[in-house]
CSV table of all heavy atoms in Angstrom, one decimal:
chain,number,residue,atom,x,y,z
A,1,ASP,N,92.1,157.3,148.5
A,1,ASP,CA,93.0,156.1,148.4
A,1,ASP,C,94.0,156.4,147.3
A,1,ASP,O,93.6,156.3,146.1
A,1,ASP,CB,92.2,154.8,148.2
A,1,ASP,CG,93.2,153.6,148.2
A,1,ASP,OD1,94.4,153.8,148.2
A,1,ASP,OD2,92.6,152.5,148.2
A,2,ALA,N,95.2,156.7,147.6
A,2,ALA,CA,96.2,157.0,146.5
A,2,ALA,C,97.2,155.9,146.6
A,2,ALA,O,98.5,156.2,146.2
A,2,ALA,CB,96.8,158.4,146.8
A,3,SER,N,96.9,154.7,146.9
A,3,SER,CA,97.9,153.7,147.1
A,3,SER,C,98.3,153.0,145.7
A,3,SER,O,99.2,152.1,145.7
A,3,SER,CB,97.4,152.6,148.0
A,3,SER,OG,96.2,152.1,147.6
A,4,THR,N,97.6,153.3,144.6
A,4,THR,CA,98.0,152.7,143.3
A,4,THR,C,98.2,153.9,142.4
A,4,THR,O,97.9,155.0,142.6
A,4,THR,CB,96.8,151.9,142.8
A,4,THR,OG1,95.6,152.7,142.7
A,4,THR,CG2,96.5,150.7,143.7
A,5,HIS,N,99.0,153.5,141.3
A,5,HIS,CA,99.3,154.5,140.3
A,5,HIS,C,98.1,155.0,139.5
A,5,HIS,O,97.2,154.3,139.3
A,5,HIS,CB,100.3,153.9,139.2
A,5,HIS,CG,101.7,153.7,139.8
A,5,HIS,ND1,102.5,154.7,140.2
A,5,HIS,CD2,102.4,152.6,140.0
A,5,HIS,CE1,103.6,154.2,140.6
A,5,HIS,NE2,103.6,152.9,140.5
A,6,GLY,N,98.1,156.3,139.2
A,6,GLY,CA,97.1,156.9,138.3
A,6,GLY,C,97.4,156.5,136.9
A,6,GLY,O,98.4,155.9,136.6
A,7,ALA,N,96.6,157.0,136.0
A,7,ALA,CA,96.8,156.7,134.6
A,7,ALA,C,98.1,157.4,134.0
A,7,ALA,O,98.5,158.4,134.5
A,7,ALA,CB,95.6,157.3,133.8
A,8,THR,N,98.6,156.7,133.0
A,8,THR,CA,99.8,157.3,132.3
A,8,THR,C,99.3,158.2,131.2
A,8,THR,O,98.2,158.0,130.7
A,8,THR,CB,100.8,156.2,131.8
A,8,THR,OG1,100.0,155.4,130.9
A,8,THR,CG2,101.3,155.3,133.0
A,9,CYS,N,100.2,159.1,130.7
A,9,CYS,CA,99.8,160.0,129.6
A,9,CYS,C,99.9,159.2,128.3
A,9,CYS,O,100.8,158.4,128.1
A,9,CYS,CB,100.7,161.2,129.6
A,9,CYS,SG,100.5,162.2,131.0
A,10,PRO,N,98.9,159.4,127.4
A,10,PRO,CA,99.0,158.7,126.1
A,10,PRO,C,100.3,158.9,125.3
A,10,PRO,O,100.9,160.0,125.3
A,10,PRO,CB,97.8,159.4,125.3
A,10,PRO,CG,96.9,159.9,126.4
A,10,PRO,CD,97.8,160.3,127.5
A,11,SER,N,100.7,157.8,124.7
A,11,SER,CA,102.0,157.8,124.0
A,11,SER,C,102.0,156.6,123.0
A,11,SER,O,101.0,155.8,123.0
A,11,SER,CB,103.2,157.7,124.9
A,11,SER,OG,103.3,156.4,125.5
A,12,SER,N,103.0,156.5,122.2
A,12,SER,CA,103.1,155.4,121.3
A,12,SER,C,103.3,154.1,122.1
A,12,SER,O,103.2,153.0,121.4
A,12,SER,CB,104.3,155.7,120.3
A,12,SER,OG,105.5,155.9,121.1
A,13,ASN,N,103.6,154.2,123.3
A,13,ASN,CA,103.8,152.9,124.1
A,13,ASN,C,102.5,152.2,124.3
A,13,ASN,O,102.4,151.0,124.5
A,13,ASN,CB,104.3,153.3,125.5
A,13,ASN,CG,105.7,153.9,125.5
A,13,ASN,OD1,106.4,153.7,124.6
A,13,ASN,ND2,106.0,154.6,126.6
A,14,MET,N,101.3,152.9,124.1
A,14,MET,CA,100.0,152.3,124.2
A,14,MET,C,99.9,151.5,125.5
A,14,MET,O,99.5,150.3,125.5
A,14,MET,CB,99.7,151.4,123.0
A,14,MET,CG,99.6,152.2,121.7
A,14,MET,SD,99.1,151.3,120.3
A,14,MET,CE,100.6,150.3,120.0
A,15,ILE,N,100.2,152.1,126.6
A,15,ILE,CA,100.1,151.5,127.9
A,15,ILE,C,98.5,151.3,128.3
A,15,ILE,O,97.8,152.3,128.1
A,15,ILE,CB,100.8,152.3,129.0
A,15,ILE,CG1,102.3,152.3,128.6
A,15,ILE,CG2,100.6,151.7,130.4
A,15,ILE,CD1,103.1,153.3,129.4
A,16,PRO,N,98.2,150.2,128.8
A,16,PRO,CA,96.7,149.9,129.0
A,16,PRO,C,96.0,150.9,129.9
A,16,PRO,O,94.8,151.2,129.6
A,16,PRO,CB,96.7,148.5,129.7
A,16,PRO,CG,97.9,147.9,129.2
A,16,PRO,CD,99.0,148.9,129.1
A,17,ASN,N,96.6,151.5,130.9
A,17,ASN,CA,95.9,152.4,131.7
A,17,ASN,C,96.1,153.9,131.3
A,17,ASN,O,96.0,154.8,132.2
A,17,ASN,CB,96.3,152.2,133.2
A,17,ASN,CG,97.8,152.8,133.4
A,17,ASN,OD1,98.6,152.7,132.6
A,17,ASN,ND2,98.0,153.2,134.6
A,18,GLU,N,96.4,154.2,130.1
A,18,GLU,CA,96.6,155.6,129.7
A,18,GLU,C,95.3,156.3,129.5
A,18,GLU,O,94.3,155.8,129.3
A,18,GLU,CB,97.4,155.6,128.3
A,18,GLU,CG,96.6,155.1,127.1
A,18,GLU,CD,97.4,155.2,125.9
A,18,GLU,OE1,98.7,155.3,125.9
A,18,GLU,OE2,96.8,155.1,124.7
A,19,SER,N,95.4,157.6,129.8
A,19,SER,CA,94.3,158.5,129.7
A,19,SER,C,94.8,159.9,129.6
A,19,SER,O,95.9,160.3,130.0
A,19,SER,CB,93.4,158.4,130.9
A,19,SER,OG,92.5,159.4,131.0
A,20,GLU,N,94.0,160.8,128.9
A,20,GLU,CA,94.4,162.2,128.9
A,20,GLU,C,94.3,162.8,130.3
A,20,GLU,O,94.9,163.9,130.5
A,20,GLU,CB,93.6,163.0,127.9
A,20,GLU,CG,94.0,162.7,126.4
A,20,GLU,CD,93.3,163.7,125.5
A,20,GLU,OE1,93.8,164.9,125.4
A,20,GLU,OE2,92.4,163.3,124.8
A,21,ASP,N,93.6,162.2,131.2
A,21,ASP,CA,93.6,162.7,132.6
A,21,ASP,C,94.7,161.9,133.3
A,21,ASP,O,94.5,160.9,134.0
A,21,ASP,CB,92.2,162.3,133.2
A,21,ASP,CG,92.1,162.7,134.6
A,21,ASP,OD1,93.0,163.5,135.1
A,21,ASP,OD2,91.2,162.3,135.3
A,22,CYS,N,95.9,162.5,133.1
A,22,CYS,CA,97.1,161.6,133.5
A,22,CYS,C,98.1,162.3,134.4
A,22,CYS,O,99.2,161.9,134.7
A,22,CYS,CB,97.8,161.2,132.2
A,22,CYS,SG,98.4,162.6,131.2
A,23,LEU,N,97.7,163.5,134.9
A,23,LEU,CA,98.7,164.3,135.6
A,23,LEU,C,98.7,163.9,137.1
A,23,LEU,O,98.2,164.6,138.0
A,23,LEU,CB,98.4,165.8,135.5
A,23,LEU,CG,98.4,166.4,134.1
A,23,LEU,CD1,98.3,167.9,134.1
A,23,LEU,CD2,99.8,166.0,133.4
A,24,PHE,N,99.4,162.7,137.3
A,24,PHE,CA,99.6,162.2,138.6
A,24,PHE,C,101.0,162.2,139.0
A,24,PHE,O,101.9,162.1,138.1
A,24,PHE,CB,99.1,160.7,138.6
A,24,PHE,CG,97.6,160.5,138.4
A,24,PHE,CD1,97.1,160.3,137.1
A,24,PHE,CD2,96.7,160.6,139.5
A,24,PHE,CE1,95.7,160.2,136.9
A,24,PHE,CE2,95.4,160.4,139.3
A,24,PHE,CZ,94.9,160.3,138.0
A,25,LEU,N,101.3,162.3,140.3
A,25,LEU,CA,102.7,162.1,140.8
A,25,LEU,C,102.7,161.1,141.9
A,25,LEU,O,101.7,160.7,142.4
A,25,LEU,CB,103.3,163.5,141.2
A,25,LEU,CG,102.5,164.4,142.2
A,25,LEU,CD1,102.6,163.8,143.6
A,25,LEU,CD2,103.1,165.8,142.2
A,26,ASN,N,103.9,160.6,142.1
A,26,ASN,CA,104.1,159.5,143.1
A,26,ASN,C,105.2,160.0,144.1
A,26,ASN,O,106.1,160.6,143.7
A,26,ASN,CB,104.7,158.3,142.4
A,26,ASN,CG,103.9,158.0,141.1
A,26,ASN,OD1,102.7,157.6,141.2
A,26,ASN,ND2,104.5,158.0,140.0
A,27,VAL,N,104.9,159.7,145.4
A,27,VAL,CA,105.8,160.2,146.5
A,27,VAL,C,106.4,158.9,147.2
A,27,VAL,O,105.6,158.0,147.6
A,27,VAL,CB,105.1,161.1,147.5
A,27,VAL,CG1,106.1,161.6,148.5
A,27,VAL,CG2,104.5,162.3,146.8
A,28,TYR,N,107.7,158.9,147.3
A,28,TYR,CA,108.4,157.8,148.1
A,28,TYR,C,109.0,158.5,149.3
A,28,TYR,O,109.8,159.5,149.1
A,28,TYR,CB,109.5,157.2,147.3
A,28,TYR,CG,109.0,156.4,146.1
A,28,TYR,CD1,108.6,157.1,144.9
A,28,TYR,CD2,108.8,155.1,146.0
A,28,TYR,CE1,108.2,156.5,143.7
A,28,TYR,CE2,108.4,154.4,144.9
A,28,TYR,CZ,108.1,155.1,143.8
A,28,TYR,OH,107.6,154.5,142.7
């Protein structure tokens, strides 16, 4: 199930779903 976004890469933004396991892409 790839219908939701994966984790974002850690940054100063401190996004709640960040993780070092962040290499996701999105296709439209």
Side-chain angles (χ1 to χ4, degrees):
D1 182 354
S3 58
T4 58
H5 287 295
T8 59
C9 294
S11 70
S12 56
N13 296 340
M14 294 182 291
I15 297 171
N17 71 327
E18 69 182 16
S19 166
E20 283 193 78
D21 180 13
C22 60
L23 299 186
F24 294 92
L25 52 75
N26 314 295
V27 182
Y28 297 79

